[in-house]
Amino acid sequence: MSALPEASARAPGSVAALRARFRDGKAELIGHFRNGRPTTTAARQLLKALARHVDATLADLWAHAGMPAGAALVAVGGYGRGELFPYSDVDVLVLLPADAAGGDALRASVEGFITACWDIGLEIGSSVRTLDECLEEAQRDVTVQTALLESRLICGARKLFNNFRDATTQAVDAPAFLRAKTLEMQQRHVKYEGTPYSLEPNCKESPGGLRDLQVVIWVARAAGLGRTWGELAAKGLVTPFEASQLARHEGTLKLIRARLHVVAGRREDRLVFDLQTAVAESFGYHPTKAQRSSEVLMHRYYWAAKAVAQLNQILMLNIEDRVNGSEAEPARPINERFRDRAGMLEVASDDLYLQHPDAILETFLVFAQEPGIQGLSSRTLRALYNSRSVMDGRFRRDPRNRALFMQILRQPVGLTHAFRLLNSTSVLGRYLWVFRRIVGRMQHDLFHVYTVDQHILMVLRNVRRFFIPEHAHEYPFCSRLAAHWDHPELLYIAALFHDVAKGRGGDHSELGALEVRRFCRDHGLSRPDTQLVEFLVRHHLTMSRIAQKEDLSDAEVIASFARLVGNERHLIGLYLLTVADIRGTSPRVWNAWKGKLLEDLFRLTLRALGGSHPNVDAEIEARMHEARQILALHTALPGTEEPLWRTLEVSYFARHEAADIAWHARSLWRHIETREPVVRARPSSVGDGLQVLVYSPDRPDLFARICGYFDGAGFSILDAKIHTTRAGYALDTFQVVSTRLADTSPAAYRDLIALVENQATAALSSDGPLPQPSQGRVSRRVRSFPVVPRVTLAPDERAQRWLLTVSASDRSGLLYAIARVLARHHINLQLAKITTLGERVEDTFLVDGPALQQPRTQLQIESELLDAVAAPA
């Protein structure tokens, strides 16, 4: 790091000269850092050198502005620590003596100084106060009080600064300050998702970020316990090892933040997708077949952030005990190893885990079993943190530990919290070594919004909630199934292992099945239980794929799935795990329509497993009978349905439920031979949105026109059932949702239904050329992690129709773009399965048409589809 001349050795010069000197000096420091090795030492040198450079510049400006001799310029906040990130604000206090005359000359000097700071390019945050005003403001605002704690004299009256520092230190009420900063930290953690593992973390403000370390130093300074990690170690608040770990992880976070600033060229503390790859490359990371360069960077960040979160919790509890004197409170013995101290589980001796390693897992068993325990004490957390060396291969093979782990899994209460603690204290990854490999692993599939370990714990939580009566309203059908399920721990094990092989390359389901089989063998599970858990892990994606991509009205689809699951127990377990898995990926992925598809597949398969092979004729007759009953309830005349039903194929009745069949008949009985499109809509029977019926003389571009209308009107299509009558009419039913429908009142639905019926009818009556699809904007996340578009076209199992599968990044206008290609080649659509997985789509269409019989035309269609679904530049 090149040295810069001290302020005393330089003439202040003009503001223009100072501007050039400041800009050139800062650019030199940043350039040296950018081109040098990305080490924590280099980052530390940069932050200190930038602070010194700004110090010297401010001192020159102070002299240039002719500030009074009795005033002082004080660095506060982060700048007060003597460190400055490349594009951080410079916070200063212009401290005036109590007898300073508030005349025009002083005001002009202060204004001239602050204006000059901005003129030369310093992003300054300034305040102008006397000592009494500082104390008064600090009493009102804990943020001001915090900033004043970290103060440093830049230039001016040292005596005034010393008085200021003494007065502000004495004015701090340590217990009140601790309480305020603790509440502030909790609020900040909630704002930033309460986890270090956000996919776009703020490396300053997120849990486990630099702010968590700063909070510890602030409250320690306020309590007079020290200003550095070394001083805290000397006071017994941390061990020397913990102090070294704190310094190490703090260095890592500072290095990442400094590199982030330099790469962004501005103040940017969020590791957003747009910048992750560039920052990773600035570290020298390169992509491999198994990992992106950004994944390597984020894995390093998450490990540091997780350790900071652990140490922050230990230190904050330690400081709280010291400040509030709770160390002396009596503790209630639980057993010879543990005690309850004010609702926190505490070890009886600091070396408990080193002397008795099996007590490590016993900690979490006691936590789950003792109803009054709210968490782990600082003493326990510290003992766990310092006992990682004993959690080795021998520890994992110890029969006592394996029995304890199974006991934790079998606890009727406290399981979710116990496993979150197991993960946050790093015990879970040290006991299940395979789990350790996916801690902090990102998933760039535009589907999951959590890291792999957080997703797994979310799925475990979802499965656990099926067995808790208080949550039965969330998953009514799942809760009914779970009520009759014995050995819930088998589902918990499947949840823990279903994604545990992510990131290795190869099929993670197959690899995970091998891992869970080994776990079951080591932990003494019976052969049938092992086979069940292994099946669930191997096929945890199968049920979702079939429900969302295949035709559930096809008896062979159901029979094939029934043969795969084999029995009712396997089916129930797979259904429960599938629902928990989908709901644990992202709040945006699950919807009521997906829930209905899964439940339909479950019920149809259960019936097949019971030996009731589908009798198509009997099934259709039953649906027709039920539809007639529904029509009668709506006072329809007998025979109302006959004119429509005579035109329909058997496949129509197989694909539609009785309620839909009755609605179609009621809506269309007067329009069987109409030459104009008929559009009817009603609120969806499954969740929000609308069910829309379109009846029109068929033509090749009809589906495209329908999609074009929905796209232009702001609707997303969740499902499409396409049918062509014997008379040549299209009878199509769509499940759609709209961004317009924020208000779900009956009046809002009536207005939206009227709008859809009128506008869609007009759009479908048009004979003009199909408009160009809108080049919908893709999200920032899609731009950073684009999905490679894929199109496959293959005969279905009966070789009568073709299965078209399209995978691409989601955007508005995508389905319409696909439909235009199909219309251009006169391809008939029989069925559409629209699947949106976060910001990725996996759409499946059952199609036929003469064009598909020619290999050359097939290739042309596939090529045009790839062009249509490619994300815009």
Side-chain angles (χ1 to χ4, degrees), residues 507-510 534-550 552 557 560-562 564-565 571 574-575 577-578 581-582 598 601:
D507 187 338
H508 77 277
S509 300
E510 290 293 334
E534 185 180 348
F535 167 82
L536 295 179
V537 173
R538 176 172 281 114
H539 294 288
H540 71 273
L541 299 175
T542 303
M543 192 170 192
S544 174
R545 177 184 59 78
I546 292 173
Q548 297 184 63
K549 292 190 175 185
E550 299 197 28
L552 301 188
V557 170
S560 176
F561 183 59
L564 174 70
V565 296
L571 175 64
L574 187 58
Y575 175 75
L577 180 61
T578 301
D581 187 18
I582 296 177
L598 284 171
L601 177 57

Side-chain angles (χ1 to χ4, degrees), residues 469-581:
E470 290 81 3
H471 294 288
H473 65 284
E474 297 175 348
Y475 316 86
F477 186 57
C478 291
S479 294
R480 288 201 297 274
L481 294 174
H484 302 287
W485 180 277
D486 59 345
H487 302 302
E489 70 273 12
L490 301 179
L491 294 178
Y492 304 153
I493 294 169
L496 279 174
F497 279 85
H498 79 285
D499 274 354
V500 83
K502 280 281 185 76
R504 293 192 199 173
D507 187 338
H508 77 277
S509 300
E510 290 293 334
L511 295 173
L514 297 177
E515 294 288 356
V516 81
R517 183 199 305 166
R518 186 178 300 116
F519 172 90
C520 292
R521 181 197 64 208
D522 292 344
H523 290 76
L525 271 68
S526 67
R527 183 180 179 85
D529 287 347
T530 298
Q531 290 174 339
L532 168 63
V533 176
E534 185 180 348
F535 167 82
L536 295 179
V537 173
R538 176 172 281 114
H539 294 288
H540 71 273
L541 299 175
T542 303
M543 192 170 192
S544 174
R545 177 184 59 78
I546 292 173
Q548 297 184 63
K549 292 190 175 185
E550 299 197 28
D551 184 359
L552 301 188
S553 66
D554 188 333
E556 183 52 40
V557 170
I558 303 303
S560 176
F561 183 59
R563 287 192 295 272
L564 174 70
V565 296
N567 59 59
E568 182 178 344
R569 183 168 175 77
H570 280 58
L571 175 64
I572 293 173
L574 187 58
Y575 175 75
L576 293 175
L577 180 61
T578 301
V579 174
D581 187 18

Side-chain angles (χ1 to χ4, degrees), residues 251-264:
T252 298
L253 295 178
K254 286 180 176 178
L255 173 60
I256 292 174
R257 187 184 178 203
R259 284 270 161 187
L260 179 58
H261 275 215
V262 171
V263 167

